[in-house]
């Protein structure tokens, strides 16, 4: 997309250990302090050893951000060999900051500056040299580079200093001083020596930041939601990209009286969650593809025995072990249809970091209200991207109020699975007086006793599905986005791809292609009526998602007869708005 | 008309009673721990003896039914929760321990029993036992060991003797059986005991100790499957081979317990018990941010 | 359906131990010897203890049988209390055979004869008394009843005697004699004392039986296919209704040089199968709902690492432990979509006992040819029903020839995952000289090395899906059934429900409602072109399957725009042709 | 142009060589058992030592590469098959043993090694170990025990000491670790040995014996994770605490082996070995329809 001069994508690239990631962290914090929005998504090396490369990637803008941007406006090379491999993502008029005095062992033909294409701009700065002045080694050249960036992009230096202080607050005063010194050296050198002729420019603006903002990743948001929702038990098994949720909760949850248990595998994690849910306590696990496979049988038990429980699946490239550090949206099938038998369960998908928070919170309510497992589909991109969040966003609830029904005491014999109009049976939990019952994964009658009768099976199957209908009725968010009325192009998308689609919609509307979106956060059960209303407004409907087979499109297509087109990608990288827009324009023109 | 005879109404659990108990049994008070459901087990199954022993233990300990939760896996043994007056979760095959642990973790005041067969607990669920033991979570796990897959009608289990003929080992079982007591000890269980379904009174005593033990209690009950095993664990063969634990056995001595577990005898009672911190105690120190090793 | 006088459904009902099942076994064998077709599907008690009831259920007919019949024409009561609960399934002019001299403890108001409805016919026979004459106990009254049946239905006694001899061939001669005696007593008593006034009548016909026939269940057929397909390893974990396959193979496979291993769980079973498949040997496991859940991750590995392996899922009522002894077709979702990521794999569904054989055999070919896991969806009904099979049926192959491609030796460096037009890479297996490679569940390049590159992931994902397109192209069976040309009603169905639909189609055509069927045996990937051709011929399309949500209908609906209707049932019992016909006629008239 | 720099081409495994080996190493012949792929492990990781020890063992035994199959789970250890010249299956987390068993069952002439980390083998895969051992299938299982989850960046594992700080145990590990040697013995393994990644020469000897053993061989290798464990298994701490197995230790004496496994020392070498029939031998009797207990 054509970005404004104050909407800039920055990458800092170096070897592992060069501090690319922590420099970007400081940059984000400084920008947020000045009232900018940021979206940060670092590239992770695939292996532990990672063969060295490490790239911090952030976008800073005055406007709310929906994507991390397809092209890099400004690339900082802390290590030329690695930086060369990032050049392919630069925008046409991109800016490269490189070390003008590379170390001795540096090979001529691997100087990044030699590879930039016509139209791009390169500024050589003696990063190592300045670092050596500050800390007697090249270790601080990441911070020197921040000084260069601040001077070049016209960002206020004082906010960087605050951010640096915060970053190193646990370290001795001298470390802080050295780093601030490194920053200043880069800043001053740039002011004095660089003849700026690029267009990237934040114009020294600082926006009255009464926003109560915080920088958070999707994993952090989900963990925070657990804490705020009074989670009692987190049971989990490490797996990328979900592990961080457990690591945060391992620290925080015990301080709030809850427990964290690292189980021997995902089956056990799911078992602990279902056990705690049966006992009336909020419980959750987070996993990814291979783990959700293993949980399938336990989730089915929770469906059959109607036990509240919440499962986060942070998707990664699949199938099997797949691409552990790449993003994809290909677990819709297993989330919605991965159980044997007819096994209905709500599937939610946040579209942004704040929604990781909001939907995790609401998931606990849903689980208790509808007495069901709830699956939340995050993905690598959402889990690991950082956004600046207005804390007020976390208090909104546009989804609905979901209140669990408790069975009145002493209502003997208690019918745990009483058939009602809503499918929901008033619930008693262990510990209550005299509301004895045993739940089971076998088909059962209203009391909970095993029963394989024909009429009973039909009745109970209908009851379990009825709960989903009730949920669809109760769910208030319509998922509709963009202008009203007739649309040339109606987009449907979900999860982390929605940001790019929103961006594409506004770009298309700018070009007079009337576009709008339907972005359900409740992926399944489907709000068929909203989909129908939306589809009637659209000349074309295009489903955008990150998988090969159009998993969600297939699900939607069953509900309406209008044929949908698919924009599906398995790029191992988030979809970009540019790609969507180009695809549409090619078609429409 | 004919609808009234539909099979929905012929679910025996719904309509049956426990009238078949003698007045004496009813007077004993153990009926406070029995649901009204009729057990689904074959007449003569060892599980009746275990049920009797356990109901008596619950009665003797005055366990509060409201706080009693029984979790089971799948199998004939797995049906147990339906026959108890309390709360129950008849889970999935092999997963009684994770589920029971989850319950206990969030409701430490509950008396949580986990029940499962030998296939359930040592076969499909065998991966959970070492870790529940490591956590020393305060639940009582009762393994109904009949050395056979009962519910699926007579296949070999992890404790079926080498060479035994079963439906899946028509030429004799080619695998060496596991010794559940020994592996429980090797995992570091803080309470390990065993008993025989033919001696419900002895079981009662063991169950009482197990329930009272603070930490994970592992109780292996050898029990005849009268329908699918006529060769190995039969009342006749087993009643006489049980021994009393030697008088001088020190329950805190792991090496001795391991020796008893391997000497070829069956010992009735508690082989090992130690009093390290149970899971909730350790967690308590975490919350207080004090060192957990104290 | 309106059955002919020589198309009779018989039930023998008693307490467990009364010998209902073994009497039906003898009846089947005798009928088959006379050249009749049989279809036998006993009712299993749900619990081990089973609360006593045991029902043998068979249908005997001159024509090829497609269902076991909805109504019972002839009920034999070996135990009145249990038999009463079977009366509701009797046909309007049904025949009841009951004990005219019940034992002392028998309660007046529980005499089955007292419950039969007007129009039905009851014959009282002193079953116990005759048995006591023969064997000094009531133990043989099941055999006495066979004598009654033979005399009443006009079946030749001598074939029964052969069948009895065969049944007790392992027993001492006196046992055989006693049973034959019991049979004769029943037969003679009936001839002498019963005044037959019902319409059931086989007319003493014996059909020149040059059919080389055998009575087999679906599980037996699948096991036999394994033996004939040169299975090298069966790894499995017991579960109803699949256990019998393992039990048969445990006996037979070692005699053919193969191995059977009962694993500790289904994950391990699947792991053994995948290991053996990697090593180049044919391997299989059979399971049901809870087990297929647990295998999901291993199946995904086989998809990613392209390892031949075959999985039978004999479906039962779900979700979770569900209804272990009831039939259902609700695992299509998990079979086709139960893996995380985009995870394509062929799903097959036999529609009859012979097809259990044929499709299991072909599954091994598919697995090797397309280097993929293959899932076969059987169900409780198919697994446990017995049919008389013409052995010639087992030699046919209408599905296609699938020949695996072996990599030429010494073609270094060997590209295990070479991208080709068909998606299929010529395969080398361990043990071959110098074709070293390592396969992985990670995304990988053509050599098999882990690779998370963007272009590579797309290329390899496309390759895995391309194999499925190749399979669709190679698969020869069209699935089309019934008259050509335009159809008033086009049925789509799969698996064990197809028999009932075929029956319904012929009934509807008799009534001039032009009907036909599309019954794919390759459920997925979908033969879209066949479906399209079929759908264009149909005024209405109705998908018939035994689940609640229309799992297969949903899958099909994505492929074509014509809307489909659904006839879905979760009755815990096979669908009957009568129900389908009635539903259509109600609509059409 | 820019396409040529796409990340597809920067897969280091594809383009790298093993040039970094010294001429001496290359001359030794162990390169016949190394693939050309560059290991993905951190510099200094104990796994290099194990790799060296194993390659030497394969060389000394003249194992036929064509019949060599290495199966692994997931984890840093799981990457091992890619670095060996032979056939490999990098499976899924915890399932190396079932897969390796399946391979060996149908191709008894193969040399099958199963490799996995402590999380892989004792955590998620812990349920398979007792049963592979019961079957006594003739494969060699090498547990790379670094007492940490390496690949997922430093969480507690089943062998992490009580009280240790890791990413998931910020207040100290609340669970008692498993003793892999002891449980291997308790399961009835026919071959149990241990070694240290810092002593590759000793490992070579153990591996040779393990591969030659007819039946299931269980080898536990203690190995430092230099990136995520600075407290527990470090070269410095561990090099000195290893002991020789007492001269008079009888490898066939299970009770003694169990005692050694529990006395707090680390013993380098073979603790236990017996010579009962391996799986294929037992199956052979089944096929011949002779009694398998003979
Ligand atoms: C995942 C799964 N696999 C298999 C089964 C089938 N199954 C039910 S019970 C059982 C084994 C029962 O044996 P055991 O645990 O010893 O209990 P018992 O019946 O002897 O009491 C099996 C294999 C199942 N229900 N779920
Ligand atoms: C089913 C599943 N769960 C979780 C993971 C994530 N995971 C990959 S490796 C690993 C643990 C690694 O630890 P270990 O087995 O000790 O091997 P190491 O890396 O230490 O060699 C985990 C949890 C996975 N790949 N699959
Ligand atoms: S099959 Fe065996 S274990 Fe099951 S109820 Fe009957 S006797 Fe008991
Ligand atoms: S993370 Fe640890 S185990 Fe993994 S390669 Fe690095 S040092 Fe080795
Ligand atoms: Mg058992
Ligand atoms: Mg490890």
């Amino acid at each position: 997309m054509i970005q404004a001069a104050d909407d800039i994508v920055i990458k800092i690239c170096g070897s592992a250990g060069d501090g690319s990631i922590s420099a970007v962290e400081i940059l984000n914090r400084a920008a947020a302090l000045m009232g900018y929005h940021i979206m940060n998504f670092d590239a992770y090396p695939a292996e532990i050893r990672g063969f060295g490369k490490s790239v911090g990637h952030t976008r800073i803008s005055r406007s709310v951000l929906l994507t991390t941007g397809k092209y890099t406006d400004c690339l900082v090379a802390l290590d030329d060999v690695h930086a060369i491999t990032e050049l392919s993502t630069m925008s046409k008029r991109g800016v490269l900051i490189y070390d003008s005095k590379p170390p001795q062992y540096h090979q001529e033909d691997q100087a990044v500056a030699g590879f930039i294409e016509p139209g791009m701009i390169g500024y050589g700065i003696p990063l190592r040299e300045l670092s050596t002045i500050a800390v007697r080694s090249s270790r601080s050249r990441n911070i020197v580079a921040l000084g260069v960036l601040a001077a070049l992009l016209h960002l206020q230096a004082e906010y960087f200093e605050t951010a640096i202080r915060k970053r190193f607050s646990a370290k001795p005063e001298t470390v802080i001083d050295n780093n601030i010194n490194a920053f200043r050296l880069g800043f001053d050198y740039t002011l004095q020596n660089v003849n700026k002729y690029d267009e990237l420019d934040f114009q020294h603006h600082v926006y009255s930041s009464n926003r109560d903002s915080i920088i958070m990743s999707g994993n952090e948001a989900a963990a925070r939601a657990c804490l705020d929702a009074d989670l009692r038990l987190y049971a989990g098994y490490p797996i990328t990209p979900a592990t961080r949720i457990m690591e945060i909760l391992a620290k925080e949850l015990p301080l709030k009286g809850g427990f964290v248990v690292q189980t021997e595998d995902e089956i056990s994690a799911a078992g602990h969650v279902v056990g705690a849910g049966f006992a009336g306590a909020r419980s959750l696990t987070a996993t990814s593809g291979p783990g959700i496979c293993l949980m399938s049988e336990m989730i089915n038990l929770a469906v059959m025995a109607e036990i509240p429980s919440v499962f986060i699946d942070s998707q990664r490239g699949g199938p099997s072990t797949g691409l552990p550090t790449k993003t994809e949206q290909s677990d819709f099938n297993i989330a919605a249809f991965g159980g044997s038998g007819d096994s209905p369960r709500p599937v939610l998908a946040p579209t942004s970091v704040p929604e990781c928070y909001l939907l995790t919170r609401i998931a606990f309510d849903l689980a208790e209200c509808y007495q069901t497992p709830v699956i939340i589909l995050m993905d690598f991109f959402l889990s690991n991207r950082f956004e600046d969040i207005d804390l007020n966003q976390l208090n909104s609830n546009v989804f609905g109020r979901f209140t669990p029904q408790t069975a009145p005491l002493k209502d003997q014999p208690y019918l745990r699975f009483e058939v009602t109009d809503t499918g929901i049976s008033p619930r008693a939990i262990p510990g209550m007086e005299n509301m004895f019952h045993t739940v089971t994964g076998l088909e059962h009658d209203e009391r909970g006793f095993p029963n394989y009768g024909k009429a009973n099976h039909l009745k109970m199957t209908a009851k379990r599905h009825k709960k989903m209908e009730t949920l669809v009725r109760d769910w208030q968010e319509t998922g509709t986005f963009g202008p009203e009325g007739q649309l040339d192009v109606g987009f449907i998308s979900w999860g982390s791809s929605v940001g790019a689609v929103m961006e594409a919609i506004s770009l298309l509307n700018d070009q007079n292609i009337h576009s709008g979106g339907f972005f359900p956060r409740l992926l399944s059960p489907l709000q068929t009526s909203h989909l129908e209303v939306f589809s009637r407004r659209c000349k074309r409907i295009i489903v955008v998602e990150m998988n090969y087979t159009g998993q969600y499109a297939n699900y939607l297509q069953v509900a309406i007869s209008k044929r949908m087109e698919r924009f599906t990608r398995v790029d191992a990288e988030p979809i970009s708005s540019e790609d969507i827009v180009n695809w549409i324009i090619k078609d429409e023109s | 008309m004919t609808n009234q005879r539909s099979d929905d109404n012929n679910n025996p659990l719904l309509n049956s009673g426990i009238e078949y108990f003698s007045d004496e049994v009813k007077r004993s008070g153990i009926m406070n721990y029995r649901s009204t459901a009729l057990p689904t087990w074959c007449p003569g199954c060892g599980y009746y003896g275990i049920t009797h022993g356990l109901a008596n233990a619950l009665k003797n300990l005055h366990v509060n039914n409201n706080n009693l939760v029984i979790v089971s896996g799948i199998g004939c043994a797995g049906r147990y929760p339906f026959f108890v007056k309390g709360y129950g979760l008849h889970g999935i095959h092999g997963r009684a321990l994770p589920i029971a642990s989850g319950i206990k973790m969030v409701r430490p005041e509950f008396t949580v029993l986990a029940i499962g067969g030998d296939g359930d607990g040592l076969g499909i669920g065998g991966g959970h036992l070492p870790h529940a033991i490591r956590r020393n979570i305060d639940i009582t796990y009762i393994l109904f060991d009949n050395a056979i897959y009962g519910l699926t009608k007579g296949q070999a289990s992890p404790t079926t003797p080498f060479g035994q003929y079963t439906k899946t080992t028509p030429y004799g079982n080619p695998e060496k059986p596991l010794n559940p007591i020994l592996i429980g000890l090797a995992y570091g269980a803080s309470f390990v005991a065993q008993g025989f379904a033919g001696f419900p009174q002895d079981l009662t005593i063991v169950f009482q100790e197990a329930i009272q033990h603070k930490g994970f209690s592992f109780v292996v009950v050898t029990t005849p499957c009268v329908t699918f095993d006529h060769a190995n664990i039969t009342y006749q063969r087993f009643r006489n081979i049980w021994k009393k634990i030697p008088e001088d056995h020190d329950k805190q001595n792991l090496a001795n317990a391991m020796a008893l577990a391997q000497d070829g005898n069956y010992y009735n009672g508690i082989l090992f018990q130690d009093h390290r911190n149970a899971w909730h105690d350790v967690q308590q120190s975490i919350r207080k941010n004090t060192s957990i090793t104290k």
Side-chain angles (χ1 to χ4, degrees), chain B residues 47 117-119 144 146-150:
Chain B
Y47 296 175
D118 41 328
F144 288 26
N146 56 9
I148 202 81
Y149 281 20

Side-chain angles (χ1 to χ4, degrees), chain A residues 17-62:
Chain A
D18 284 349
S20 319
I21 307 290
S22 80
V24 166
E25 216 179 297
I26 294 167
L27 175 59
N28 286 335
R29 204 166 265 157
L33 288 171
M34 291 176 247
Y36 288 96
H37 295 281
I38 65 109
M39 189 179 288
N40 164 217
F41 181 52
D42 300 328
Y44 284 75
E47 274 82 23
I48 278 291
R49 183 191 172 118
F51 300 96
K53 184 168 143 185
S54 168
V55 188
H57 173 177
T58 194
R59 178 176 175 184
I60 300 173
S61 171
R62 193 184 161 177

